[in-house]
Amino acid sequence: MHDSLTLASDFPTPTEQDWLDAVSAAMKGRPFERLRTTTEDGLVLEPLYTATSIALADDEHGHPGVAPYVRGRAATPTVWDVRAEHRHPALATLNDAILTDLQRGVTSIGLRLDAEARLGRSSSVRGDIGVDGVPIRTSDHLARALDGVLLDLAPVALDAGHAGFAAAGAFLHLLERRAVDPTEARGSLGVDPLAARAASGWSPDDTGHLLDLATELAVEVADRHPEVTALGCSTTPYVDAGATASQELALLASSAAELLRAANRSGAPVEVVLAQVEATLSVDADVFGSVAKLRAARWIWARIAEACGVDPSGRGLVLHARTADRMFSRTDPWVNLLRSTAACFAAAVGGAGGITVLPCDRAVGVA
């Protein structure tokens, strides 16, 4: 008796021509071109791809753990970081939700600050306080929100927009207050002046100067907190504004180039700055398109690092995937469950190190 069962063993192995013949018969004379799809970027998608369709199929550079890290930085499969994004305006309720998520299997916490902080608006605009985010302004506020959270075990990722430097300072101060071992602290400060400007339409200071400060912060954090990333490189604002996949990748590359220029100006080591970046890309229900985009992002990042003389071991991108806001339905939130499932699958297959799946009622608002 055989130990294994191969269900297809009695069937001949089909060739690509066999498939084409079957398609031709099914099309009944209609042109094969009807099966091709053209994306918004003008890319033509074939109805079938095989292992021989692309050169990387037999190229060692397409293997996991090998530069340019197209299929991830690790040579062996790893468990991705499951991140829950929190934005409830009441700190007590927020803290309860965070602790509940951690108890139920979430591995990291995303804190989205409110519109006033993210967009850098005046405190006189009372309508923005607590809107679409948490009203955190000081380390005391942050301490209340993260009460009971072990910061050396559960990473915290900040999404603070124009308040990025202030939020980063509050988090680093909280680590000191709690006497967390600097080498054990985990998190992502998410300082991203470019994304903040794109989301708000303005900047509180010269963007170049802010980028210089960001690279200096990256060096400080790298020296003291090796498990914390200081910088963000998010394409979310562009995707929310309608960017296509190719445009999103181009904007990621442009953002990386601006960071590297700032590193040169401030004298920060390029390899340190790149290692301190956590990039956030959007994924949606287009599974294959999202997988391809994440892998292309890794390739582009590695090529930029290579052009800057970074050692191959330092060319891997710290990549976080977040389900795109724009794919969510407000009038029929239940269909969002299916869209999010497809997007999450794409993020996992695409090799994202961390994944945030937004709630199915994200477009409805906080209950």
Side-chain angles (χ1 to χ4, degrees):
M1 183 176 180
H2 297 292
D3 294 331
S4 61
L5 176 64
T6 305
L7 297 178
S9 59
D10 295 332
F11 295 91
T13 301
T15 65
E16 186 171 346
Q17 187 59 49
D18 293 334
W19 182 85
L20 289 171
D21 293 341
V23 168
S24 178
M27 295 289 286
K28 298 180 179 178
R30 286 171 291 185
F32 178 80
E33 287 70 21
R34 294 185 60 177
L35 297 181
R36 294 191 173 101
T37 303
T38 302
T39 70
E40 295 175 292
D41 296 304
L43 302 175
V44 177
L45 303 182
E46 298 291 340
L48 176 69
Y49 289 94
T50 67
T52 59
S53 297
I54 57 175
L56 272 181
D58 297 317
D59 187 349
E60 65 175 8
H61 295 93
H63 294 174
V66 179
Y69 306 101
V70 177
R71 294 175 60 191
R73 297 191 302 164
T76 56
T78 57
V79 177
W80 53 85
D81 173 30
V82 180
R83 182 176 300 171
E85 183 176 289
H86 286 268
R87 57 192 179 97
H88 200 285
L91 295 182
T93 304
L94 171 70
N95 179 251
D96 288 340
I98 288 174
L99 295 179
T100 298
D101 273 351
L102 290 173
Q103 291 168 357
R104 293 179 177 178
V106 165
T107 56
S108 72
I109 297 298
L111 278 182
R112 180 180 175 88
L113 270 62
D114 61 7
E116 180 190 282
R118 289 197 327 276
L119 303 179
R121 293 175 178 167
S122 169
S123 59
S124 62
V125 186
R126 305 297 298 177
D128 284 339
I129 298 177
V131 173
D132 191 29
V134 187
I136 290 176
R137 301 293 182 270
T138 67
S139 59
D140 288 335
H141 294 161
L142 194 59
R144 289 172 59 191
L146 299 177
D147 185 30
V149 177
L150 302 179
L151 300 179
D152 55 345
L153 295 178
V156 174
L158 303 176
D159 177 9
H162 284 314
F165 288 103
F171 183 76
L172 295 175
H173 184 234
L174 180 60
L175 293 177
E176 293 182 4
R177 285 173 54 181
R178 293 191 179 177
V180 178
D181 185 341
T183 62
E184 298 294 331
R186 300 174 183 275
S188 174
L189 305 182
V191 175
D192 189 353
L194 292 173
R197 178 169 184 166
S200 65
W202 76 290
S203 179
D205 198 347
D206 177 70
T207 304
H209 176 61
L210 293 176
L211 288 170
D212 292 346
L213 295 177
T215 57
E216 292 171 6
L217 175 65
V219 174
E220 294 175 9
V221 171
D223 287 341
R224 182 166 175 77
H225 300 286
E227 298 299 324
V228 175
T229 56
L231 308 179
C233 193
S234 175
T235 60
T236 298
Y238 312 111
V239 173
D240 289 345
T244 65
S246 292
Q247 290 169 344
E248 185 180 1
L249 292 172
L251 288 160
L252 174 70
S254 298
S255 299
E258 287 300 321
L259 271 176
L260 293 172
R261 292 188 182 101
N264 283 332
R265 289 194 301 267
S266 65
V270 169
E271 61 275 8
V272 173
V273 172
L274 289 179
Q276 278 289 305
V277 175
E278 179 183 77
T280 300
L281 272 70
S282 295
V283 288
D284 56 29
D286 179 3
V287 174
F288 296 112
S290 293
V291 170
K293 180 173 66 178
L294 295 185
R295 292 183 175 180
R298 290 185 179 280
W299 201 340
I300 291 170
W301 190 272
R303 290 289 290 118
I304 292 174
E306 180 184 4
C308 293
V310 177
D311 186 84
S313 62
R315 298 174 190 170
L317 174 63
V318 179
L319 181 58
H320 185 82
R322 180 179 182 271
T323 51
D325 284 273
R326 73 182 188 187
M327 79 171 178
F328 284 91
S329 168
R330 188 173 192 176
T331 56
D332 184 12
W334 306 118
V335 73
N336 297 334
L337 293 171
L338 300 177
R339 294 172 179 172
S340 294
T341 298
C344 181
F345 176 76
V349 174
I355 304 173
T356 293
V357 178
L358 299 176
C360 68
D361 56 355
R362 169 74 172 90
V364 177
V366 177

